[in-house]
Amino acid sequence: MPELNFDKVYASLNLRIKDITNIDEFDELTKEFLGKNSLIAEERKKLSSLSSDDKKNYGRKLTEATEFITSEIKAQRQLFLNSQFTSREEVENTDISIDWTPSRGSYKHVLSTVMDEVVSIFSSIGYEVAHGPEAETSWHNFDALNTPDWHPARYESDTLYLDKNLDTLLRTQTSTVQIRHMEENDPPVYIVAPGRVFRSDQLDATHSPVFHQLEGLAVDKNLTFTDLKGTLEYFVKEFFGNDIETKFIPHFFPFTEPSAEVLVKWQNGEWLEILGCGMVDPNVLSNVNYPDNYKGFAWGVGIERLAMLRYKIDHIKNFYDNDIRFLEQF
Ligand code: DAH
């Protein structure tokens, strides 16, 4: 009995697969090799005229061939699909932004550098870093900080509120973290709180509606104004250099009593204000239920201000423009 030459069938299948350029052609191939008019189907029709032994043997061979062709087409179809994805990936992975300028590596934004430096000056003398949310309650931003209802800082013209009742707002100062930290921790406290603050300010050379501050707070049993002065003078010298002269002048903040501003003497002889500070008002300590034998001092410093002074930057918007020619100078 003449049998189908299976090797020839497989060889022609291989040839046909090599020529495939479109995924749909695999379906046509299945039809051609296994469909109604295929050689295999023709052979099956002959089975009924064979002796039962031949029928069994040849029938098994035809089934094996069918299985082989089915699995071969399936496997080749998958390979074809994979190769299509690979070549598509090669094309689409080309990052058109990557070669137009030579890579310069990456570096920190100048504000992050200054912030990190200020934090590390204070952490080297024992201060820990604390954080608080940017969306705050009026309690944490004003009331607990001894700021009365009538205080101008609370006006909607100065503060970005988040609701009509003026109960929630974008924090205008990192002093909020003082309250949050003391609400959750017993004294003594030595913390600095770096972060972003928001005010309803127009952009000008020295003001931006979003800027950065670092708040500091120390609460302990025998703290005095001398400790405050020593700590901040140490900071100013570490940051601006040992030769810098500082002076403290009286000021007013609702949450400190007495309060002061620290000024540094610039090269041209001008005195420039760099931070606000004071002895924590006893009302603030009692708002967080601290025992009254504790005293504290606190300060708040603007990071943009420090960076502008040190690097002689004349407009605050330089920090946010993200102009590489500005940023890469630091
Ligand atoms: N929160 C003040 C501001 O944003 C800065 C400040 C002043 C913080 C005095 C203090 C402080 O802790 O004692 O202008």
Side-chain angles (χ1 to χ4, degrees), residues 86-143:
T86 314
S87 40
R88 194 166 144 196
E89 256 170 30
E90 267 162 27
V91 177
E92 293 182 0
N93 261 350
T94 309
D95 182 345
I96 54 163
S97 70
I98 229 159
D99 288 330
W100 64 274
T101 176
S103 162
R104 305 173 211 209
S106 61
Y107 33 83
K108 273 191 199 157
H109 191 282
V110 56
L111 289 178
S112 304
T113 311
V114 171
M115 186 74 100
D116 289 353
E117 187 180 331
V118 178
V119 168
S120 79
I121 291 172
F122 286 109
S123 55
S124 73
I125 52 171
Y127 284 79
E128 282 176 20
V129 177
H131 293 285
E134 292 175 350
E136 260 295 3
T137 62
S138 289
W139 163 258
H140 290 96
N141 199 85
F142 292 129
D143 302 289

Side-chain angles (χ1 to χ4, degrees), residues 76-219:
Q76 293 296 337
R77 187 177 189 280
Q78 192 55 47
L79 285 179
F80 183 85
L81 258 186
N82 291 351
S83 79
Q84 269 194 328
F85 283 129
T86 314
S87 40
R88 194 166 144 196
E89 256 170 30
E90 267 162 27
V91 177
E92 293 182 0
N93 261 350
T94 309
D95 182 345
I96 54 163
S97 70
I98 229 159
D99 288 330
W100 64 274
T101 176
S103 162
R104 305 173 211 209
S106 61
Y107 33 83
K108 273 191 199 157
H109 191 282
V110 56
L111 289 178
S112 304
T113 311
V114 171
M115 186 74 100
D116 289 353
E117 187 180 331
V118 178
V119 168
S120 79
I121 291 172
F122 286 109
S123 55
S124 73
I125 52 171
Y127 284 79
E128 282 176 20
V129 177
H131 293 285
E134 292 175 350
E136 260 295 3
T137 62
S138 289
W139 163 258
H140 290 96
N141 199 85
F142 292 129
D143 302 289
L145 286 162
N146 199 39
T147 310
D149 274 344
W150 49 262
H151 195 280
R154 298 185 77 135
Y155 297 170
E156 278 176 275
S157 55
D158 281 347
T159 296
L160 296 159
Y161 285 94
L162 296 172
D163 69 320
K164 283 210 188 93
N165 298 331
L166 314 189
D167 289 333
T168 50
L169 44 77
L170 293 176
R171 68 177 179 192
T172 62
Q173 49 188 357
T174 42
S175 308
T176 52
V177 185
Q178 289 189 23
I179 303 301
R180 287 198 174 265
H181 188 84
M182 289 192 288
E183 280 173 343
E184 277 164 26
N185 298 275
D186 290 331
V189 168
Y190 290 89
I191 56 158
V192 286
R196 197 153 47 163
V197 298
F198 307 83
R199 294 196 189 164
S200 186
D201 274 339
Q202 293 291 332
L203 186 73
D204 66 22
T206 53
H207 296 87
S208 154
V210 183
F211 61 103
H212 300 80
Q213 284 188 333
L214 177 127
E215 183 78 13
L217 173 70
V219 182

